[in-house]
Amino acid sequence: MALPHAILAALIECPFSGYDLAKRFDGSVGFFWNASHQQIYRELSKLEAEGLITAEKVEQDGRPNKKLYSITSAGKAMLQEWIAQPAEVSPVKDDLLVKLFAGHIAPRETILQKLKEHYQQHRAKLEGYQAIAQQHFSDPAQLSEAHKFQFLTLRAGIRHEMAWMTWCGEAMTFLTETESNYQASLYVRDELSE
Amino acid sequence: MALPHAILAALIECPFSGYDLAKRFDGSVGFFWNASHQQIYRELSKLEAEGLITAEKVEQDGRPNKKLYSITSAGKAMLQEWIAQPAEVSPVKDDLLVKLFAGHIAPRETILQKLKEHYQQHRAKLEGYQAIAQQHFSDPAQLSEAHKFQFLTLRAGIRHEMAWMTWCGEAMTFLTETESNYQASLYVRDELSE
DNA sequence: TAACCCATGTAACCTGTTACATGATTAA
DNA sequence: TTAATCATGTAACAGGTTACATGGGTTA
């Protein structure tokens, strides 16, 4: 589990409020981690109690006050230690694959529709990532150390969306082609039996 | 959430015991869903109580008795209904990406090591999937309807492993190349300052 | 004889989601 | 005036992990 680590990682560069973090985990950083605001507030309290982050109250006019959280040296040390520890790869766990696994009990059209929707969702995500890449990472070799690593996580997001899109295309082609083959073979059989 | 649906999907073709399901979710089917045996037993009890599956006690000699679960028509109906409902794409959520996002606070060698380990884990998975593809899905167009869909989920696993491997390679190259550029530029600067 | 496979489960705990709650400011 | 944004939280519930428990059969 990496939610506390993901929060610590997000706080290295600059302090954030819980609200900011929730937005980040729902936006551009959301391709490698996501969390609801409730989860984040709960985790921030815990991390503060453990001395891994500190809070600073910021009074604002015209807006509600907020708490800016910063990582402590203890927090940074534990994050460094965690990074060095061995990690297992995570399984995919996507609903669509469960639906596809049982796809033969549903109308072919329904499955093709699901694949199409999925394709479009991934294309939208890919376009978002590519826009970020162009705006903030157009010259990767000249980036700061911190940004080089953020660039690589963005590249991972891009690679994943591309893989999903490739697969969706492949699956749709396979299902329509083998369907038409099936219909073609039926047609041939009909001709032969006449 | 799709654990109950994943279980129902696994039971369409033939009945399984909880033990069997736990092994399946940990093996070849594990690329699109996984679950511990405790989770599965808990879920099976719930599904049985809801009338979506039925249990049959099987007495064995030389082995502990087991319960074989089969999907009911109600279970199949609810699965069909669920398939037609809209689905959101899942975020990646992999620890390695969190580690990489904070990669600049760790020694470069540590990060490269993590990438290498990750690469090897994905290669091992890919090889496993490719072996299954050769053994059971060598002639995709001739497969039964049910197996066509299982083939497609396997293809998704293959595509994902390939994407991870591509990205790992890309990331390792980027980190070693920009590091040597950095060292080269240092070297040039040293020469100039002399 | 030690470790692993088969087979099922309970209990405690942690993580993640949904619903509820407040309240000012700003844009359509 | 309706909805969205900023900003923080609580409570209840559902999902997932870890530890514990049993016990015969098989393989090294």
Side-chain angles (χ1 to χ4, degrees):
Chain A
M1 207 280 305
L3 176 57
H5 309 102
I7 290 175
L8 292 174
L11 295 178
I12 294 172
E13 291 295 290
C14 69
F16 281 108
S17 70
Y19 188 85
D20 295 331
L21 287 169
K23 273 209 308 182
R24 291 197 91 194
F25 281 131
D26 199 44
S28 63
V29 187
F31 62 82
F32 78 89
W33 210 266
N34 73 337
S36 60
H37 82 270
Q38 295 87 344
Q39 240 185 309
I40 289 165
Y41 285 122
R42 190 208 267 160
E43 200 63 44
L44 285 170
S45 305
K46 209 192 280 181
L47 289 171
E48 197 189 356
E50 289 167 354
L52 303 173
I53 57 174
T54 46
E56 186 203 353
K57 275 186 192 168
V58 177
E59 308 221 345
Q60 300 181 117
D61 43 82
R63 285 184 188 186
N65 300 336
K66 63 176 173 179
K67 292 188 203 166
L68 269 184
Y69 290 95
S70 312
I71 192 167
T72 63
S73 55
K76 199 172 167 180
M78 100 78 97
L79 190 58
Q80 283 168 326
E81 207 187 301
W82 176 74
I83 288 171
Q85 272 163 21
E88 292 299 307
V89 304
S90 332
V92 178
K93 262 198 176 182
D94 192 286
D95 283 9
L96 181 73
L97 293 176
V98 177
K99 294 188 177 189
L100 225 83
F101 191 79
H104 60 288
I105 67 161
R108 189 62 67 99
E109 290 246 332
T110 304
I111 302 298
L112 286 169
Q113 185 59 31
K114 292 292 142 200
L115 284 167
K116 198 177 162 188
E117 286 165 14
H118 216 75
Y119 181 88
Q120 281 163 351
Q121 287 181 66
H122 285 296
R123 194 180 56 187
K125 281 200 160 197
L126 177 63
E127 281 166 6
Y129 299 159
Q130 281 172 337
I132 297 170
Q134 279 199 336
Q135 279 169 33
H136 300 287
F137 304 99
S138 56
D139 192 356
Q142 301 305 315
L143 293 168
S144 70
E145 285 299 285
H147 284 108
K148 271 179 193 167
F149 285 100
Q150 291 182 22
F151 168 70
L152 287 177
T153 57
L154 182 62
R155 286 293 309 165
I158 288 172
R159 283 274 167 216
H160 270 85
E161 300 311 329
M162 285 170 68
W164 269 113
M165 287 171 71
T166 304
W167 173 80
C168 283
E170 200 180 280
M172 287 188 283
T173 303
F174 178 72
L175 289 177
T176 48
E177 272 185 5
T178 59
E179 189 178 42
S180 56
N181 284 351
Y182 175 68
Q183 287 173 342
S185 70
L186 271 184
Y187 184 69
V188 170
R189 212 180 305 147
D190 284 347
E191 274 195 317
L192 289 173
S193 61
E194 272 171 49
Chain B
M1 207 279 306
L3 176 57
H5 309 103
I7 290 175
L8 291 175
L11 294 178
I12 294 172
E13 290 297 289
C14 70
F16 281 107
S17 69
Y19 188 86
D20 295 331
L21 288 170
K23 273 209 307 182
R24 290 197 93 194
F25 281 131
D26 199 45
S28 63
V29 187
F31 63 81
F32 78 89
W33 209 266
N34 76 335
S36 62
H37 81 270
Q38 294 87 341
Q39 240 184 308
I40 288 164
Y41 284 120
R42 190 209 267 160
E43 200 63 45
L44 284 171
S45 305
K46 210 191 281 181
L47 289 171
E48 198 189 355
E50 289 166 354
L52 304 173
I53 57 175
T54 45
E56 186 203 352
K57 274 186 192 169
V58 177
E59 308 223 344
Q60 301 180 116
D61 43 82
R63 286 183 187 186
N65 300 338
K66 63 176 175 179
K67 292 188 203 165
L68 269 184
Y69 290 94
S70 313
I71 191 166
T72 63
S73 55
K76 199 172 166 182
M78 96 81 96
L79 190 57
Q80 282 168 326
E81 206 185 303
W82 175 75
I83 289 172
Q85 272 162 20
E88 292 299 306
V89 304
S90 332
V92 177
K93 264 202 175 179
D94 193 288
D95 283 9
L96 181 72
L97 293 176
V98 178
K99 294 187 177 189
L100 224 83
F101 191 79
H104 60 289
I105 66 161
R108 190 60 69 99
E109 290 246 331
T110 304
I111 301 298
L112 285 169
Q113 185 58 31
K114 291 292 143 200
L115 283 167
K116 197 177 162 188
E117 285 165 15
H118 217 74
Y119 181 88
Q120 281 163 352
Q121 286 180 66
H122 286 295
R123 194 180 55 187
K125 280 200 160 196
L126 178 64
E127 282 166 6
Y129 298 159
Q130 280 172 339
I132 295 169
Q134 279 200 336
Q135 280 170 35
H136 301 286
F137 304 97
S138 56
D139 192 355
Q142 301 307 314
L143 293 169
S144 70
E145 286 299 286
H147 285 108
K148 272 180 193 166
F149 285 101
Q150 292 183 22
F151 168 69
L152 287 178
T153 56
L154 182 62
R155 287 293 310 166
I158 288 172
R159 283 274 168 218
H160 270 85
E161 301 311 329
M162 286 170 68
W164 269 113
M165 287 172 70
T166 304
W167 174 78
C168 284
E170 200 180 280
M172 288 188 282
T173 303
F174 179 73
L175 290 177
T176 47
E177 272 183 7
T178 57
E179 187 178 44
S180 55
N181 285 351
Y182 175 68
Q183 288 173 343
S185 69
L186 272 185
Y187 184 70
V188 170
R189 214 182 304 149
D190 285 348
E191 273 194 319
L192 290 173
S193 60
E194 272 171 45

